[in-house]
């Protein structure tokens, strides 16, 4: 099956602030193929996060078509969108977004719990995920007791534990030192090498250059690809 994985056509997202309309996404058209490794760069305010949030079904669109594995999502009711989001999409944020009162293991376990999987099945999966990210000895630590790099690795484990085919990362290294940054990028690229479609928003040109497809956003538009 060679169907396009994701197809965006003429996507618009406007924000009304007082009298002013911000065209955060201005007729964005883009195809993403299964297994792609895409970086999204561009000035602050150019719509990178809006694009990622839209792809991750964290935000609505005002116009246009968003087809995912051949299915139109733009007009889907919220309950069905939530289902696609849970099964198909992992999201990583600059500030990790872990749940502070849960341990590393419990944060990673959360998506499995939401599927109703019994505890006996969850435990080995969580253990394996933590181990593969070098976090076995931090399983019981809460986020505040972890370094930034460790927190981001927990977030990656949580985003990938359900084996979603699409992984979206908004400035995943924005709060990390260069060593942790390199480690997180290596992990994301490893996941991509194993078949996950990866879209990374970054301000870091060195990181942006590593992607196979490099998209540049300007004023809510895709201004180019290299
Ligand atoms: N919820 C909102 N309400 C109003 N305006 C918004 C909202 N979210 C984003 N915007 C506006 O939409 C535009 C695009 O914002 P977006 O966050 O996508 O930019 P960005 O490219 O991710 O910038 P940065 O590099 O600073 O993270 C900006 O002008 C922003 O002010
Ligand atoms: Mg942003």
């Amino acid at each position: 099956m060679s169907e396009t994985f994701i197809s965006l056509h003429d996507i618009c997202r406007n924000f009304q602030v007082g009298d002013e309309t911000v065209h955060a996404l201005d007729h964005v058209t883009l195809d993403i193929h299964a297994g792609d490794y895409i970086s999204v760069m561009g000035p602050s305010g150019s719509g990178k996060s809006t694009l990622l949030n839209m792809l991750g079904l964290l935000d609505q669109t005002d116009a246009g078509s968003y087809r995912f594995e051949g299915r139109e999502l733009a007009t889907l009711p919220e309950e069905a969108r939530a289902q696609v989001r849970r099964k198909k999409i992992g999201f990583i944020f600059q500030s990790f977004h872990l749940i502070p009162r849960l341990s590393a293991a419990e944060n990673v376990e959360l998506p499995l719990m939401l599927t109703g999987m019994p505890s006996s099945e969850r435990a080995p999966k969580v253990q394996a995920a933590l181990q593969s990210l070098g976090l076995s000895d931090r399983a019981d630590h809460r986020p505040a007791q972890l370094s930034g790099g460790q927190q981001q690795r927990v977030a990656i484990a949580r985003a990938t534990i359900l084996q979603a085919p699409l992984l979206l990362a908004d400035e995943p290294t924005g709060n990390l030192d260069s060593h942790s940054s390199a480690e997180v990028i290596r992990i994301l690229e490893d996941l991509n090498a194993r078949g996950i479609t990866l879209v990374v928003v970054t301000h870091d040109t060195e990181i942006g250059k590593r992607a196979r497809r490099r998209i540049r956003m300007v004023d809510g538009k895709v201004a180019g690809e290299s």
Side-chain angles (χ1 to χ4, degrees):
M1 197 182 73
S2 66
E3 189 177 75
T4 305
F5 180 40
I6 290 171
S7 189
L8 306 178
H9 190 76
D10 269 347
I11 291 280
C12 296
R13 179 65 169 125
N14 303 320
F15 294 110
Q16 193 71 36
V17 183
D19 292 342
E20 207 189 328
T21 304
V22 177
H23 300 283
L25 295 178
D26 191 1
H27 298 276
V28 169
T29 293
L30 179 68
D31 280 346
I32 299 177
H33 303 280
D36 269 356
Y37 175 12
I38 299 177
S39 64
V40 181
M41 302 192 69
S44 181
S46 59
K48 305 181 297 297
S49 294
T50 307
L51 175 66
L52 221 63
N53 290 342
M54 190 275 302
L55 280 169
L57 299 175
L58 302 175
D59 190 15
Q60 303 277 344
T61 50
D62 293 307
S65 160
Y66 176 6
R67 294 184 80 79
F68 190 110
E69 294 176 336
R71 183 181 185 197
E72 180 58 64
L73 301 188
T75 50
L76 217 56
E78 179 48 33
E79 186 46 43
R81 286 162 59 89
Q83 216 170 54
V84 174
R85 186 162 60 228
R86 277 197 298 272
K87 285 193 187 146
K88 300 286 189 177
I89 305 169
F91 216 111
I92 302 166
F93 303 90
Q94 174 171 358
S95 46
F96 321 129
H97 286 206
L98 297 173
I99 297 179
R101 62 187 169 76
L102 298 184
S103 70
E106 288 165 341
N107 267 283
V108 176
E109 190 178 12
L110 206 53
L112 299 176
M113 288 181 76
L114 295 176
T115 69
M117 185 184 286
S119 168
S120 56
E121 282 177 45
R122 295 195 308 256
K125 283 185 194 291
V126 171
Q127 236 172 39
L130 289 173
Q131 186 177 12
S132 77
L133 291 170
L135 290 163
S136 296
D137 57 347
R138 295 291 183 271
D140 298 328
H141 287 231
R142 284 193 302 279
Q145 300 167 323
L146 296 168
S147 73
Q150 289 167 341
Q151 288 183 67
Q152 196 59 302
R153 281 185 277 145
V154 173
I156 293 171
R158 182 182 59 179
T160 55
I161 189 107
L162 289 177
Q163 301 187 308
L166 175 64
L167 185 57
L168 305 171
D170 194 352
E171 304 268 7
T173 63
N175 284 343
L176 303 179
D177 62 41
S178 58
H179 173 79
S180 303
S181 224
E183 191 169 65
V184 160
I185 290 300
R186 183 184 56 75
I187 291 165
L188 296 181
E189 289 180 351
D190 254 23
L191 289 163
N192 174 253
R194 282 186 265 143
I196 284 187
T197 304
L198 177 63
V199 184
V200 182
V201 168
T202 184
H203 276 119
D204 184 323
T205 49
E206 289 307 310
I207 289 174
K209 276 198 305 208
R210 298 177 61 91
R212 281 190 298 278
R213 294 179 64 190
R214 297 170 289 266
I215 286 168
R216 181 162 176 79
M217 298 278 303
V218 176
D219 291 340
K221 297 183 178 70
V222 174
E225 179 173 340
S226 59

